[in-house]
Amino acid sequence: MHRATEQVLVNLALYDGVADHLQADQGIWIGVDGMIRAVGPVDDVLAEAGDVPVVDLGGDVVMPGLTNMHVHLSLGLPGHLADEVHRSNLAELVLLMADSARRTLHAGVTTARLVGEGRYADFALRKGIEAGAVDGPRIFTAGHALCCTGGHGWEADALEADGADGFRQLTRAQIRAGADLIKVCISGGIAGQYEAIDTPQLLDDEMAAVIRVAHDWGRKVTAHAGPADTVRRAVELGLDCVEHGYELTDEVTRLMAERGVWYVPTIVVSRCEQFFRDSGVPGWLMERALGAGPRHWESLQHAIRNGVPIALGSDMPPHAGYDETTATVRELEFMVDAGMPVADALKAATIRPAEWLNADDKLGSITAGKHADLLVLRDDPTRSVSALRTLHVVMKGGVVYRDDHGRTRARR
């Protein structure tokens, strides 16, 4: 089991997730409990900390750990990924997910929102990570995704129901298992062979049943959704978040902004041809995904322009290689390319997801009283999110899980 060490980080520039600029000559005091005890001008922090070991970061930049809001640790796209998942027994599945969790953490993602896993393995993994038996990000999970009979995701362990009563029962079953949120598939998508992206799949009373039960139990609902009209119906019924939104319109994104409905665009999934080839997906899936790219891009631009609250999510494995970086970093770069200011993109990967998760009192920024989930970069992320390509240290809860150059061992 890893344990935090009390220490003060010095000789660093700070992006704290609150201010939009770097703060020079800062210090961060981390307690033995892995919580941040003080942040501020280095001399003030050192004076407050007293006789505590000091770690010199050589002038590098420290920022909050990333949160990826659309993760499947047991990703089962048609092809060899699905084959590997489906032929695994439960123990093997948990081990596969644990390996993906470790890689995700090493990629700088210290918090992950899981939006559809299989066989309730995510709850066992979450327990193992919280106990320190497994290396991985902090997990917020929906358990199984919910869909109609034959609906999106049924081949990938989504649970099927029909009618309002059926969806009420499945929603309660996920909450009983320990779900932090509920994920429901309300339209077709890119990975279902016998559907189209714009196929509506839930009736209004079915969507309303999921949302009502979840909200009664204090859980938010996020929806896999493609077409604008289906999204509009769900938003009017009280939906909290939209995943993908392949075909959003100006009108619908205005409604989302007005109602405070969040958007996780996963823009990488409609432009990741090499990942699909490496994963051995069938030709129809690749053609549909890449063909959705232009409208998906327009959807993201509508959302940015109309002020929809946006959070980072990759759908691809967070650690997956993409253009000489990871899917997580590439997603952020795409969001900026689509018109999002760098300052907003950084917040979409740090403090804003924490707000959606109702965890911003402990996560999302480098502030006294929060978990010491920190990244160390060589370059300045407030100038370009591509600075995340220079990531070389990952810390979660005051414990170093990655240190490419041994920087955190250099104490004076």
Side-chain angles (χ1 to χ4, degrees), residues 15 63-69 71 104-113 137-138 140 312-313 318 325-332 345-351 353-354 357 363-365 373-377 381 385 387-389 391 393-396:
Y15 168 68
M63 68 171 289
L66 304 177
T67 295
N68 192 314
M69 291 279 278
V71 176
T104 293
L105 179 58
H106 286 197
V109 176
T110 54
T111 300
R113 187 185 68 159
R138 303 181 192 280
F140 293 81
L312 165 75
T325 184
T326 65
T328 301
V329 174
R330 198 69 186 96
E331 177 77 15
L332 267 187
L346 290 174
K347 287 183 170 64
T350 54
I351 190 61
L357 294 166
L363 302 173
S365 65
D373 296 353
L374 314 175
L375 308 181
V376 182
L377 322 176
V385 294
L388 279 157
R389 291 173 177 250
L391 169 68
V393 172
V394 177
M395 177 185 293
K396 188 191 82 172

Side-chain angles (χ1 to χ4, degrees), residues 392-394 400-409:
H392 61 89
V393 172
V394 177
V400 176
Y401 289 88
R402 172 183 168 186
D403 186 352
D404 296 353
H405 312 302
R407 186 66 56 81
T408 59
R409 294 192 297 271

Side-chain angles (χ1 to χ4, degrees), residues 371-385:
H371 292 290
D373 296 353
L374 314 175
L375 308 181
V376 182
L377 322 176
R378 187 177 66 250
D379 295 341
D380 178 359
T382 66
R383 296 185 175 218
S384 170
V385 294

